[in-house]
Amino acid sequence: MDIITNFIEFMSKYYSYYLNGTLTTLQISFFGVIFGTLVGVLLCLLRMSNNKIIRGISTAYIEIVRGTPLILQIYVVYYGLPMVLPLPDSRIFLGTLAVLLNSAAYVSEIIRAGIQSIDTGQMEAARSLGMGKSMSMRYIIIPQAFKNILPALGNEFIVLVKESAIISVIAIPDLMYNADTLRGITYKPFMPLIVAGIIYFTITFTLSKILGLLERRLAASDQGSES
């Protein structure tokens, strides 16, 4: 009973830390995956370009991002980019920027796989109707590819919710940072972390269930269109 009483007292006193931290975590993850997807589409199209230089630059960016730790990229964006670009002096902005640039590299590969999964006859049919290559990609190929990769994009969002915890290294008050702050305030080594873990699990578990429901509906939609 003492544990339950202590937990209730702890949460009634410090719940605002978790509420604000959770909102910050979801905000950074949401904008990270939305803008990461937009940048990912651009990277994907550049990588599939016939121009060797453009394709090489895009490929190099993707490989460098995928081959280096996220914490290193956060430090580079937070300390390095403001020295060469007129970026806002905001930790949340720079942290979100680092997350979306990282996510874009992974999302671009997901999109590339989605585009390559579309039958080549779709492109040929669009071209035979008089569409140019870019128009065919925009109106025929990419919409179908996005339908195929929606589950993978959902998984990327779930991964970002967890991996965004690392932005606490630049003092962004996300869920992990606030939990660590409470460890110092309360001198309780475990309870703040356990509560943070429960919140992370609740978010990711809920997103996983929503993602599963979406996949089932997409599968049912495909079966309905084939019948």
PDB file of all heavy atoms in Angstrom, residues 7 12 22 31 55 92 99 119 122 186:
ATOM      1  N   PHE A   7       3.177   6.519  -4.990  1.00  0.00           N
ATOM      2  CA  PHE A   7       3.011   6.765  -6.416  1.00  0.00           C
ATOM      3  C   PHE A   7       1.944   7.835  -6.661  1.00  0.00           C
ATOM      4  O   PHE A   7       2.140   8.750  -7.467  1.00  0.00           O
ATOM      5  CB  PHE A   7       2.618   5.462  -7.123  1.00  0.00           C
ATOM      6  CG  PHE A   7       2.378   5.623  -8.598  1.00  0.00           C
ATOM      7  CD1 PHE A   7       3.438   5.729  -9.485  1.00  0.00           C
ATOM      8  CD2 PHE A   7       1.081   5.698  -9.101  1.00  0.00           C
ATOM      9  CE1 PHE A   7       3.215   5.894 -10.838  1.00  0.00           C
ATOM     10  CE2 PHE A   7       0.849   5.864 -10.447  1.00  0.00           C
ATOM     11  CZ  PHE A   7       1.917   5.955 -11.323  1.00  0.00           C
ATOM     12  N   SER A  12       0.474  13.216  -8.263  1.00  0.00           N
ATOM     13  CA  SER A  12      -0.360  14.401  -8.032  1.00  0.00           C
ATOM     14  C   SER A  12       0.501  15.664  -7.908  1.00  0.00           C
ATOM     15  O   SER A  12       0.044  16.767  -8.214  1.00  0.00           O
ATOM     16  CB  SER A  12      -1.194  14.207  -6.762  1.00  0.00           C
ATOM     17  OG  SER A  12      -0.344  14.061  -5.636  1.00  0.00           O
ATOM     18  N   THR A  22       5.514  14.809 -22.354  1.00  0.00           N
ATOM     19  CA  THR A  22       4.857  13.961 -23.357  1.00  0.00           C
ATOM     20  C   THR A  22       4.425  14.787 -24.570  1.00  0.00           C
ATOM     21  O   THR A  22       4.607  14.363 -25.720  1.00  0.00           O
ATOM     22  CB  THR A  22       3.626  13.261 -22.746  1.00  0.00           C
ATOM     23  OG1 THR A  22       4.048  12.478 -21.627  1.00  0.00           O
ATOM     24  CG2 THR A  22       2.943  12.371 -23.765  1.00  0.00           C
ATOM     25  N   PHE A  31       6.217  16.266 -36.051  1.00  0.00           N
ATOM     26  CA  PHE A  31       6.810  17.124 -37.075  1.00  0.00           C
ATOM     27  C   PHE A  31       8.020  16.446 -37.717  1.00  0.00           C
ATOM     28  O   PHE A  31       8.313  16.675 -38.894  1.00  0.00           O
ATOM     29  CB  PHE A  31       7.196  18.480 -36.488  1.00  0.00           C
ATOM     30  CG  PHE A  31       6.003  19.365 -36.237  1.00  0.00           C
ATOM     31  CD1 PHE A  31       5.584  19.640 -34.943  1.00  0.00           C
ATOM     32  CD2 PHE A  31       5.279  19.899 -37.285  1.00  0.00           C
ATOM     33  CE1 PHE A  31       4.470  20.435 -34.701  1.00  0.00           C
ATOM     34  CE2 PHE A  31       4.161  20.692 -37.070  1.00  0.00           C
ATOM     35  CZ  PHE A  31       3.756  20.958 -35.773  1.00  0.00           C
ATOM     36  N   ARG A  55      22.351  11.921 -58.097  1.00  0.00           N
ATOM     37  CA  ARG A  55      22.128  10.610 -57.470  1.00  0.00           C
ATOM     38  C   ARG A  55      23.224  10.315 -56.441  1.00  0.00           C
ATOM     39  O   ARG A  55      22.958   9.779 -55.366  1.00  0.00           O
ATOM     40  CB  ARG A  55      22.096   9.523 -58.547  1.00  0.00           C
ATOM     41  CG  ARG A  55      21.672   8.168 -58.002  1.00  0.00           C
ATOM     42  CD  ARG A  55      21.374   7.190 -59.118  1.00  0.00           C
ATOM     43  NE  ARG A  55      22.566   6.826 -59.876  1.00  0.00           N
ATOM     44  CZ  ARG A  55      22.741   7.070 -61.166  1.00  0.00           C
ATOM     45  NH1 ARG A  55      21.792   7.682 -61.848  1.00  0.00           N
ATOM     46  NH2 ARG A  55      23.849   6.733 -61.779  1.00  0.00           N
ATOM     47  N   ILE A  92      14.119  23.486 -29.367  1.00  0.00           N
ATOM     48  CA  ILE A  92      13.101  22.587 -29.911  1.00  0.00           C
ATOM     49  C   ILE A  92      13.161  22.573 -31.435  1.00  0.00           C
ATOM     50  O   ILE A  92      13.058  21.517 -32.069  1.00  0.00           O
ATOM     51  CB  ILE A  92      11.696  22.998 -29.420  1.00  0.00           C
ATOM     52  CG1 ILE A  92      11.572  22.703 -27.913  1.00  0.00           C
ATOM     53  CG2 ILE A  92      10.604  22.270 -30.196  1.00  0.00           C
ATOM     54  CD1 ILE A  92      10.212  23.003 -27.336  1.00  0.00           C
ATOM     55  N   VAL A  99      16.074  15.599 -35.864  1.00  0.00           N
ATOM     56  CA  VAL A  99      15.265  14.379 -35.935  1.00  0.00           C
ATOM     57  C   VAL A  99      14.701  14.176 -37.338  1.00  0.00           C
ATOM     58  O   VAL A  99      14.724  13.069 -37.884  1.00  0.00           O
ATOM     59  CB  VAL A  99      14.122  14.436 -34.895  1.00  0.00           C
ATOM     60  CG1 VAL A  99      13.106  13.331 -35.148  1.00  0.00           C
ATOM     61  CG2 VAL A  99      14.690  14.300 -33.484  1.00  0.00           C
ATOM     62  N   ASP A 119       4.181  -1.991 -60.221  1.00  0.00           N
ATOM     63  CA  ASP A 119       4.456  -2.653 -61.505  1.00  0.00           C
ATOM     64  C   ASP A 119       4.881  -1.610 -62.550  1.00  0.00           C
ATOM     65  O   ASP A 119       4.274  -0.533 -62.654  1.00  0.00           O
ATOM     66  CB  ASP A 119       3.194  -3.390 -61.964  1.00  0.00           C
ATOM     67  CG  ASP A 119       3.472  -4.321 -63.140  1.00  0.00           C
ATOM     68  OD1 ASP A 119       3.568  -3.813 -64.277  1.00  0.00           O
ATOM     69  OD2 ASP A 119       3.606  -5.527 -62.898  1.00  0.00           O
ATOM     70  N   GLN A 122       2.460   0.247 -64.845  1.00  0.00           N
ATOM     71  CA  GLN A 122       1.717   1.437 -64.433  1.00  0.00           C
ATOM     72  C   GLN A 122       2.328   2.697 -65.058  1.00  0.00           C
ATOM     73  O   GLN A 122       1.612   3.574 -65.542  1.00  0.00           O
ATOM     74  CB  GLN A 122       1.732   1.561 -62.906  1.00  0.00           C
ATOM     75  CG  GLN A 122       1.040   0.434 -62.171  1.00  0.00           C
ATOM     76  CD  GLN A 122      -0.466   0.591 -62.189  1.00  0.00           C
ATOM     77  OE1 GLN A 122      -0.972   1.703 -62.262  1.00  0.00           O
ATOM     78  NE2 GLN A 122      -1.182  -0.518 -62.153  1.00  0.00           N
ATOM     79  N   THR A 186      13.536  14.986  -6.629  1.00  0.00           N
ATOM     80  CA  THR A 186      12.922  14.139  -5.587  1.00  0.00           C
ATOM     81  C   THR A 186      13.911  13.193  -4.919  1.00  0.00           C
ATOM     82  O   THR A 186      13.564  12.560  -3.928  1.00  0.00           O
ATOM     83  CB  THR A 186      11.806  13.285  -6.225  1.00  0.00           C
ATOM     84  OG1 THR A 186      12.386  12.421  -7.211  1.00  0.00           O
ATOM     85  CG2 THR A 186      10.751  14.167  -6.875  1.00  0.00           C
TER      86      THR A 186
END
